[in-house]
Amino acid sequence: MALPRPNARRRLPVIAATASLLAGAFAAPAAAAGPAHPSLRTPEKKAVATGYGGAVASVDADASAAGIEVLRKGGNAADAAVATAAALGVSEPYSGGIGGGGYFVYYDAKTHKVSTIDGRERAPLSATKNLFLEHGKPIAFPDAVTSGLSVGTPGVPATWDAALHSWGSRPLGEVLRPAERLARDGFTVDATFRQQTADNEARFKDFPATAKLFLPGGKLPAVGSTLKNPDLARTYELLGKEGVNALYKGALARDIVQTVRKPPLASGSRRVARPGDLTEKDLSAYSVKRQAPTRVSYRGLDVYGIAPSSGGGTSVGEALNILKKSDLSKLDRADYLHRYIEASRIAFADRNRWVGDPAFEHVPTDGLLSQKFADSRACLIRAGSALKSPLAPGDPMHPSSCASHKRAAPTPYEGENTTHLTVADKWGNVVAYTLTIEQTGGSGMTVPGRGFLLNNELTDFSFTPVTAGVHDPNLPGPGKRPRSSISPTIVMKNGKLDFALGSPGGATIITTVLQTFLNHVDRHMPLGDAIASPRVSQRNAAQTDMEAALWNSSVKRQLESKGQDFKQVPDIGAATGVERMPNGKWLAAAEKTRRGGGSAMVVQEGK
């Protein structure tokens, strides 16, 4: 069950990238929401920016400015990506932060090599397939979310450490400085942040540390007030001085474990917040996973993504393989969308059956990405009629034309409140990085005195097999990573970076990245327009999600005549991307209006 999510994004004041001299200038004795500080200003929020010296695109202006500040001071894409992500942990605390995990994809301009870091959260080493069962039955989803049971070992700090050690040029303390300053000085609350807080008010009140931070004085933060997080500023300062091991060992690790094992409920609370079994050993044993990216070829492009434990790279790749023999550029809009919808439906049917954590499951990644398998699935698509969901999967290990494998595996729910950033530097290095704490507000539990929410990422596991009698690769297990849909994507042409993109949005991430890619490559839309174009999302469900911009259109009626069935949703995803332009110029692109619009910035604007 999803928690309510408002549609509009916040417009937050930005500490200008050039204002580094203000670091530490303002005291922040306690978490508080007061009048916005006069030193904070709101610059124009742009969906598309072009220029030189590097680029940052994220969902939030404060975060993009943090990345630009690091680039302007000589940092590279890896440095700026960590800076941007850390700032998102301040101004987008309900979406990401050091209490969560994510996937980091890096393009090295010197070697023209794409590398990935799997920083997904892991279940406790004691976890079994019965993690969310009581008396043989699954507990209610909301009860699982707001509990210690849902908290996986965070992977974000280890991801930052791995990225900086591999590709960074600045120490962690330096790249955390803009976010540390933002946490100390605060950001301005607007109506959307207030509404997000209101949607979580009941459970936030049950945890004193969360209430103190996000419900100052016991009330919702007022629109226009400044929300400060001095505890997080101190936590960032600690990580900067001692390294990320300070989170995985020592006092901070003990605080995390204490929060999970004894959820710190308010006196008199009636909430049943089940304890988790996370231990200090789980934290100290955590490590990121480095592995080869997924790769498919499409229209002369090499498309790289993240391999399992995420199903993003395999699903986007399989769908592209299915579509590559269709000339999507010559189809009318309805026929184009029909084929995209059907390819998405098929890819999700296969993802749901075959993708899990490869450390525990046999995941046929090569088979899912083979052209032979794609061809055996593409023959299911009919120009004049829609397939019915849930569609049964194929067998990538034994492809057979138009054949299905056993019974369907429907798509389980995934939380949508994730965040994504895309960064490029003046040397041509590029990062696509998606991070998350799962639900809006994660588990609802803030680590007391530390200023960050813990994830509820383990609810991405299947509580029970999604299809009775069929093996489910996404059941919990000891130290296992839950399956994800996160899809940070790097696209190369003639061996060099062409563009990169990604999106938040739970399972809709895959379709958002796929549709944006097809809009740009096959429909020849500029990257900003490809992102802004109205979306539909089919995930092997009876109905396809459709945004309002298409709801009353002739395109919808044409698709319905083919048997497509739709339900209206407020928005799908919130993509960002960067594109290499001629003469060393970069284009950064974010949403124009979706969720209030994103923030695209370059170091030096220029035509």
Side-chain angles (χ1 to χ4, degrees), residues 109-121:
K110 286 186 177 180
T111 63
H112 308 299
K113 180 182 177 181
V114 176
S115 303
T116 73
I117 299 172
D118 179 336
R120 184 68 156 157
E121 301 89 339

Side-chain angles (χ1 to χ4, degrees), residues 311-479:
T314 54
S315 300
V316 171
E318 180 186 348
L320 291 176
N321 283 339
I322 289 171
L323 292 168
K324 69 170 52 173
K325 294 184 179 179
S326 300
D327 190 346
L328 302 182
S329 66
K330 293 182 178 179
L331 299 178
D332 66 25
R333 193 178 186 189
D335 286 338
Y336 154 59
L337 289 175
H338 173 71
R339 288 187 177 274
Y340 150 71
I341 288 169
E342 297 299 86
S344 299
R345 190 193 312 270
I346 293 167
F348 266 92
D350 298 329
R351 163 197 179 269
N352 299 342
R353 171 61 184 87
W354 299 108
V355 176
D357 183 347
F360 293 80
E361 307 287 341
H362 172 64
V363 183
T365 300
D366 291 343
L368 288 167
L369 292 172
S370 72
Q371 192 60 49
K372 183 177 180 181
F373 179 59
D375 292 344
S376 77
R377 303 293 277 158
C379 66
L380 294 169
I381 299 177
R382 298 288 181 264
S385 62
L387 293 164
K388 299 300 179 184
S389 289
L391 182 72
D395 185 348
M397 294 167 287
H398 304 95
S400 180
S401 184
C402 294
S404 294
H405 180 78
K406 297 184 179 179
R407 284 174 282 173
T411 302
Y413 171 75
E414 289 180 40
E416 297 184 359
N417 212 31
T418 303
T419 191
H420 178 80
L421 60 99
T422 322
V423 177
D425 64 32
K426 63 183 179 181
W427 298 282
N429 306 302
V430 171
V431 172
Y433 180 28
T434 314
L435 60 157
T436 180
I437 60 170
E438 179 62 7
Q439 295 286 141
T440 308
S443 66
M445 300 189 300
T446 298
V447 181
R450 302 299 187 173
F452 62 91
L453 287 157
L454 291 173
N455 69 84
N456 66 291
E457 212 66 57
L458 301 188
T459 59
D460 267 357
F461 283 122
S462 303
F463 288 16
T464 58
V466 295
T467 304
V470 177
H471 177 71
D472 187 333
N474 192 41
L475 292 173

